[in-house]
Amino acid sequence: MKTTSYEMTPGTTLFLLTDGLVSSPTMDISEGIERLSTSLSDAQAGLGAQFPPLEALVDVPLNVLIQEHQHDDAVLLAARLS
């Protein structure tokens, strides 16, 4: 088993997801990850807060991507370090 470590500062938001959220038979996983990243950034900018509530941050991108990928499991877990 390989272990990877990252230093994270207070306020960092960590996202864990299943591949069903970002890949499909018609979309490459790297494209899906880029779309998710962009949609999360746009959601944060739209909320206008440095640390918006996690639920508000993930609702729009998650709902959009789930509608596009109904063929597979779709999970997005967000955690913020305090």
Side-chain angles (χ1 to χ4, degrees):
M1 179 189 318
K2 180 179 176 181
T3 302
T4 303
S5 299
Y6 297 95
E7 279 193 41
M8 299 187 328
T9 60
T12 298
T13 303
L14 174 67
F15 295 97
L16 303 171
L17 56 124
T18 59
D19 67 338
L21 185 63
V22 292
S23 69
S24 72
T26 61
M27 184 172 60
D28 181 74
I29 193 166
S30 60
E31 178 186 349
I33 291 171
E34 180 64 32
R35 290 182 67 199
L36 176 61
S37 177
T38 299
S39 65
L40 288 168
S41 294
D42 291 349
Q44 180 163 346
L47 292 167
Q50 184 177 3
F51 301 112
L54 293 178
E55 184 176 353
L57 182 61
V58 301
D59 272 351
V60 172
L62 186 59
N63 288 332
V64 169
L65 290 168
I66 286 175
Q67 293 304 314
E68 295 176 0
H69 303 284
Q70 293 182 4
H71 70 282
D72 201 354
D73 64 318
V75 176
L76 177 61
L77 173 66
R80 182 171 296 132
L81 288 104
S82 57

